[in-house]
Amino acid sequence: MLQLVAILGLVSAPSGADAVALAEAALADFRPEDAVRLLEDAEGPHPHGRHIRLYEQLGIAYAYLDRPDQAVAAFDRMLALDPSRAISYTLSPKVTFL
């Protein structure tokens, strides 16, 4: 529904914070294509913590879409921003093995 509303121009693109939150919700609903679109379009600059979450979620979404090179690049960026960050072990092996 959000896509239809955005296509019709009834709402503007979500802000950075909203885009990351919406992408997290999309991933929870197993909609990685929507998550990637939201995260790639997320306007910045972002506070440090949101920037980390953005790359974490982007890596997860890319992994679900069988785009391992892009997933690893996103996870590398996430770890460059926060070397102590870890991916949840409860995620699919498709994500955690990368």
Side-chain angles (χ1 to χ4, degrees), residues 32-41 58 61-62 65 67:
E33 298 89 0
D34 293 339
V36 166
R37 181 184 48 78
L38 287 162
L39 294 165
E40 287 179 344
D41 292 343
L58 195 54
Y62 284 145
L65 293 172
R67 294 161 65 179

Side-chain angles (χ1 to χ4, degrees), residues 3 6 31 39 66:
Q3 292 172 349
R31 295 181 291 116
L39 294 165
D66 291 320

Side-chain angles (χ1 to χ4, degrees), residues 45-63:
H46 302 284
H48 186 71
R50 186 181 318 132
H51 211 97
I52 294 165
R53 281 186 21 242
L54 185 147
Y55 284 104
E56 176 184 48
Q57 298 303 302
L58 195 54
I60 293 167
Y62 284 145

